[in-house]
Amino acid sequence: MSETVRQLSSRRSFLAGLWAGIAAIFGTMKPKSTRAQTPSPAGGKHHAGKAGIHPWIEIGQQITVDIAIDGEVVAHLDHKAVLPGLKKLPAVVFDLPAGLKQLQLRGSFIDAEGRITTFTRTWTVRDIAEASAPLYDQTRPLIERIRNFAGMSELVQLDAPRRDGGVTAEAAFRKLETRLGVQLPAPLRQILSSADINVEDSSFLSPPNLVAVTELLLSGWGYTRSGGDIALDKLVSATVLARYDRSVAVFVEVGDGLGALAWDPAGVTSGEPPNTWGDKGNPGAQPSTPNDGVWFWLHQEHISEPELLLDDDYRPKDAEAALIHVFQRFCLSQIDSPESESELVIDSNLPRNLLQLHFEDPTKPKLWLRSYDYHYSLY
């Protein structure tokens, strides 16, 4: 079943279950820039997260923008595109005051020929923080956070952990670690030994079924090691194949083709391509904590380019962030769509909301949340 069809077919029941769960858990609830010239918010207001604006305009085009929240200018953006596409790092970052209701952009658009057009556009803000709250509750263990989120989402199902062939989780972990010469991240051990976790048609692998990525591709996805049109040594580079040989697949995606979340214990080499969509001219991955490895997504549609999960400094994200990413990508992505062109969705639980700024024409800026976007997310 395609990802688009799955999202549309489950959206209505998901939202109903989601908001019912929110009411049960939380009760009835009422719904600065990185640049030197950015003014600070006035009056010592309480902040609910941050936002970063990521412009996507053509090379040579330029924008000058004042960013106002509930009538108060909180940041200023000057940006000229020198590379195509969307950048991982924002052009400006600013605080989101708690309870904000409107965000406005007003400024000018300069095309590559120097023609100037002014614009003003206002969005009503909707915060989905109540929906995401269980996942980001740092006071609770990861598995409990997943359980609480599953309790309000019909997309996530948790069952008692499976013992395939009567093998315990600990025995399965030790067998795999000995065979591959690795030590699995503690958060992964915790959630896989505590529950059998399914996200619609996709699922985390049970401890006895954990395998190296190459083994998954050969046994479950129909690839061959060599020989034929779908031979791995023909489709991927020697470097990528070596990564697949040593990496552990932990979550299998069933949608438009097959995909997986995996962990490479060797980590990254300095400057290697992240393979994320867009973000031209990035510095490449940067080594981080030794022995932590790197998490990545792979998919049949781009089997030769695994997408690395990196933070804003291009260093590997930790295991907990990578595991939460599954629910961001497959669940929260289904509730972050605006209900009209004049609505801006944010999640004040996020350290920074990634807001893409694009222009349908010089007078019509479009701004929307990309933090949970399945295909083109930059988180």
Side-chain angles (χ1 to χ4, degrees):
M1 184 183 296
S2 72
E3 181 67 23
T4 300
V5 172
R6 288 198 295 134
Q7 288 188 1
L8 290 175
S9 64
S10 62
R11 180 178 177 84
R12 182 175 298 174
S13 62
F14 170 62
L15 289 174
L18 179 66
W19 296 116
I22 290 170
I25 293 177
F26 296 100
T28 302
M29 299 181 70
K30 295 182 179 180
K32 281 227 189 224
S33 171
T34 54
R35 296 175 180 268
Q37 69 267 35
T38 301
S40 299
K45 294 180 180 178
H46 174 64
H47 298 141
K50 293 180 179 291
I53 290 182
H54 303 246
W56 186 5
I57 56 179
E58 301 298 325
I59 294 176
Q61 295 177 342
Q62 185 174 352
I63 51 175
T64 299
V65 183
D66 281 332
I67 303 161
I69 294 178
D70 294 335
E72 178 183 354
V73 174
V74 297
H76 180 78
L77 167 63
D78 283 312
H79 176 77
K80 184 174 183 178
V82 296
L83 291 170
L86 200 63
K87 300 290 294 177
K88 178 182 179 69
L89 297 180
V92 64
V93 175
F94 52 93
D95 290 315
L96 295 173
L100 74 161
K101 292 179 173 56
Q102 288 188 329
L103 185 145
Q104 183 182 76
L105 299 182
R106 51 180 182 259
S108 60
F109 178 96
I110 306 174
D111 67 20
E113 285 71 43
R115 294 184 290 265
I116 301 176
T117 303
T118 60
F119 60 85
T120 298
R121 187 159 187 181
T122 303
W123 291 266
T124 299
V125 176
R126 174 165 61 92
D127 192 351
I128 61 171
E130 293 177 29
S132 68
L135 284 178
Y136 301 128
D137 184 356
Q138 296 291 331
T139 66
R140 299 179 183 276
L142 178 59
I143 185 59
E144 187 175 340
R145 291 151 63 184
I146 294 173
R147 287 187 190 280
N148 289 343
F149 182 73
M152 66 172 66
S153 168
E154 294 185 6
L155 296 181
V156 184
Q157 180 179 350
L158 270 65
D159 297 313
R162 286 178 288 167
R163 289 193 177 187
D164 297 337
V167 179
T168 66
E170 183 59 29
F173 292 145
R174 289 180 180 177
K175 182 178 180 180
L176 179 73
E177 290 174 334
T178 299
R179 183 166 63 85
L180 298 182
V182 302
Q183 183 173 354
L184 294 172
L188 177 65
R189 278 172 152 262
Q190 176 197 113
I191 70 168
L192 295 189
S193 61
S194 301
D196 182 38
I197 307 173
N198 297 279
V199 184
E200 288 194 296
D201 297 326
S202 306
S203 61
F204 282 92
L205 295 175
S206 65
N209 289 325
L210 291 174
V211 291
V213 169
T214 306
E215 295 170 334
L216 178 70
L217 299 179
L218 297 179
S219 65
W221 292 15
Y223 291 91
T224 62
R225 183 82 188 194
S226 61
D229 293 336
I230 54 173
L232 292 178
D233 62 0
K234 178 180 179 180
L235 296 175
V236 306
S237 68
T239 299
V240 171
L241 186 54
R243 166 163 282 158
Y244 289 170
D245 283 342
R246 64 177 178 257
S247 299
V248 180
V250 305
F251 178 85
V252 174
E253 170 194 354
V254 179
D256 289 337
L258 297 171
L261 174 67
W263 173 68
D264 179 358
V268 300
T269 58
S270 182
E272 73 168 285
N275 294 327
T276 50
W277 183 87
D279 199 27
K280 306 296 183 183
N282 69 73
Q286 304 299 313
S288 186
T289 307
N291 303 318
D292 273 2
V294 63
W295 293 82
F296 63 91
W297 286 99
L298 65 146
H299 196 277
Q300 287 180 313
E301 292 183 355
H302 43 83
I303 194 69
S304 64
E305 297 181 334
E307 300 177 9
L308 306 182
L309 281 177
L310 307 176
D311 64 17
D312 286 351
D313 295 320
Y314 293 90
R315 299 183 186 278
K317 289 195 171 185
D318 63 27
E320 188 170 288
L323 295 169
I324 287 176
H325 193 263
V326 170
F327 306 98
Q328 294 172 321
R329 183 167 182 155
F330 291 96
C331 301
L332 292 177
S333 64
Q334 298 201 35
I335 63 168
D336 72 346
S337 298
E339 296 179 358
S340 70
E341 292 186 353
S342 61
E343 182 179 71
L344 175 65
V345 175
I346 65 165
D347 184 351
S348 56
N349 287 315
L350 288 172
R352 191 187 69 244
N353 293 258
L354 310 184
L355 306 179
Q356 178 180 326
L357 174 61
H358 190 67
F359 287 80
E360 297 174 348
D361 68 48
T363 64
K364 295 181 179 179
K366 181 180 179 182
L367 190 68
W368 75 101
L369 181 68
R370 298 301 296 270
S371 296
Y372 297 140
D373 191 301
Y374 173 85
H375 293 289
Y376 307 124
S377 61
L378 299 177
Y379 44 83

